[in-house]
Amino acid sequence: MPENKSPQARKNTLYDVLGVSREAKATDITRAYKRITSQLASETAAPDARLAARAKVAYETLSDPARRDEYDKSLRVAATQRPARRMGALVGGVAVLIAAAAVASMYAARTKEEAASEPLPPEQILALGEQLVSPMQETRISGEIAQIGVAIATAQHEMVTPCHALAAGAQIMVGSGAKAARADMARADVERDICMLRVKDSNDVVAKLRVGEPAPGEKIYTVVRLGPRPTELKEGHVTRPIADAHGGKAYVLVLPGKIPNGSPVLDVRGNLIGIVTSPHAYGEGLTVALAASRISQTVGTEHAAAASAEAAVAAQPRTSNGSVDDDTPAAASAPSNDPRPRNAGETTYRKLDEQRARTLEDEVARQVNGKPPKR
């Protein structure tokens, strides 16, 4: 079985992402995925979020017989295209599959599994919540250090939290005490109020997002974890959905006491229904949770954007050793000190980074001036 050479190696198909042949067995696919995740976890710098996303999509697609069969069919169709269009069709097909898989199935719990599983005892819910939740603090430009709630693990090296508590330009730390580590912003989705963070340490236990909506009166739990205090499990119930919730679905809850921003709302089977948002503008005295569907939409958008950028890079002309050929007419015509991107892949990445940088800046401007700055 071919080895996965490098995170920077060219990867045109999901098989290439994992470094396996198209005849690979299910055990080979699982082994390759574990090797990549172990490699990412051992890196001293923040892990390659794009590689992690691609590897997860590749594993979930190729380890499912039905989805693998559909994917193999798409490869065979691409192979029948005219030679001049073959690479574009293949890269485009992979990008579409990755985007669709990221939005449709990434992090989503299956309804049948939810229905078949038994309710968990409260002590097990508490243990699960302790592993999902990490306290957050930020160091602001002024030098002030503030506790801003908690973040929830949604994948290895990935966490989410409501955006509104984060200050533009602040350094975010996740964890407590000696285990606290810097978190980098992967996507700030201000409209849905969901920020996706990239963290160095691997999250061995991640949230399983609930597919269906909770019913009024349904029992829920939240895990309150702040600093050195003992973790608390609080029981409550859902009151009603919020009909006009901005950016997606939200729910009014009944829970005792004050619940920190970002705290998980779990059903009796340990599935994540949503995350608490505080403060909010839905009404004084209400405890409100942003629905799990917002998380899947934000994360799916980020992974689809990363996949699109990777596809643009993969489509660039290559040299004999497999690296991007920068000696194309467009690149050759630009002066050596020209700061403009040298190829389409770089342009895509730059636009992606600019979009991420703008979102929090626009939200701060909106809060201060009533509207974001004109571009």
Side-chain angles (χ1 to χ4, degrees):
M1 181 177 67
E3 291 294 319
N4 186 47
K5 295 180 179 179
S6 164
Q8 304 303 324
R10 183 185 181 187
K11 299 176 176 65
N12 293 327
T13 71
L14 298 185
Y15 291 99
D16 296 329
V17 171
L18 296 180
V20 299
S21 70
R22 296 190 187 181
E23 293 74 34
K25 297 179 180 179
T27 53
D28 296 330
I29 290 169
T30 301
R31 190 180 300 114
Y33 178 61
K34 289 182 177 179
R35 182 176 63 248
I36 293 174
T37 55
S38 297
Q39 176 187 340
L40 291 171
S42 65
E43 293 179 356
T44 55
D48 185 344
R50 295 184 179 92
L51 176 59
R54 294 198 310 272
K56 183 174 178 65
V57 172
Y59 170 70
E60 290 184 346
T61 301
L62 301 181
S63 61
D64 184 312
R67 291 171 63 184
R68 181 176 180 177
D69 183 59
E70 288 297 319
Y71 178 65
D72 288 343
K73 288 179 182 177
S74 73
L75 294 182
R76 289 193 291 271
V77 170
T80 64
Q81 303 299 316
R82 292 178 308 197
R85 299 177 56 191
R86 182 176 298 175
M87 180 58 70
L90 182 59
V91 171
V94 172
V96 170
L97 279 169
I98 291 177
V103 175
S105 66
M106 190 79 73
Y107 312 108
R110 295 180 179 178
T111 306
K112 291 182 179 179
E113 292 177 353
E114 290 178 357
S117 61
E118 294 293 328
L120 302 177
E123 57 270 19
Q124 198 167 338
I125 297 281
L126 175 60
L128 172 64
E130 284 183 315
Q131 296 176 81
L132 295 177
V133 176
S134 293
M136 284 197 316
Q137 66 179 27
E138 64 180 11
T139 303
R140 296 170 179 167
I141 297 176
S142 63
E144 176 191 4
I145 298 177
Q147 301 293 328
I148 51 174
V150 300
I152 299 172
T154 49
Q156 290 188 335
H157 309 291
E158 179 185 292
M159 307 190 85
V160 297
T161 192
C163 281
H164 71 269
L166 304 179
Q171 183 182 86
I172 305 168
M173 301 293 289
V174 173
S176 57
K179 293 184 177 181
R182 177 171 175 169
D184 297 318
M185 184 70 68
R187 176 166 291 268
D189 189 338
V190 176
E191 180 181 2
R192 296 188 180 98
D193 197 16
I194 299 294
C195 274
M196 177 179 161
L197 308 175
R198 187 174 66 243
V199 295
K200 175 182 177 297
D201 293 335
S202 173
N203 306 308
D204 295 326
V205 177
V206 300
K208 184 178 181 182
L209 304 192
R210 168 138 159 191
V211 175
E213 293 190 49
E218 181 175 337
K219 182 192 289 188
I220 56 168
Y221 295 97
T222 190
V223 175
V224 176
R225 184 180 180 190
L226 282 178
R229 301 183 206 166
T231 305
E232 295 181 73
L233 181 69
K234 296 189 176 185
E235 180 183 322
H237 64 269
V238 178
T239 299
R240 57 180 173 85
I242 298 176
D244 56 348
H246 176 70
K249 297 177 181 177
Y251 313 110
V252 177
L253 315 173
V254 171
L255 285 166
K258 186 176 180 180
I259 311 300
N261 184 56
S263 295
V265 179
L266 305 170
D267 65 16
V268 295
R269 294 174 177 84
N271 299 310
L272 185 69
I273 292 175
I275 55 177
V276 172
T277 175
S278 177
H280 58 74
Y282 296 112
E284 189 173 351
L286 298 179
T287 301
V288 173
L290 304 175
S293 57
R294 297 190 186 213
I295 298 173
S296 61
Q297 290 162 355
T298 296
V299 170
T301 299
E302 169 61 21
H303 290 174
S308 176
E310 288 296 326
V313 172
Q316 295 306 298
R318 300 280 166 167
T319 63
S320 58
N321 64 2
S323 61
V324 174
D325 183 4
D326 286 328
D327 293 328
T328 59
S333 63
S336 59
N337 60 350
D338 192 337
R340 292 177 296 177
R342 293 174 63 85
N343 55 56
E346 187 177 345
T347 300
T348 306
Y349 278 129
R350 181 170 294 187
K351 288 180 179 179
L352 186 60
D353 290 338
E354 288 174 352
Q355 186 275 334
R356 292 167 177 160
R358 282 201 305 266
T359 49
L360 278 180
E361 295 173 1
D362 287 353
E363 176 64 8
V364 170
R366 185 190 66 77
Q367 293 175 2
V368 174
N369 303 319
K371 59 181 179 179
K374 293 182 178 179
R375 300 290 180 187

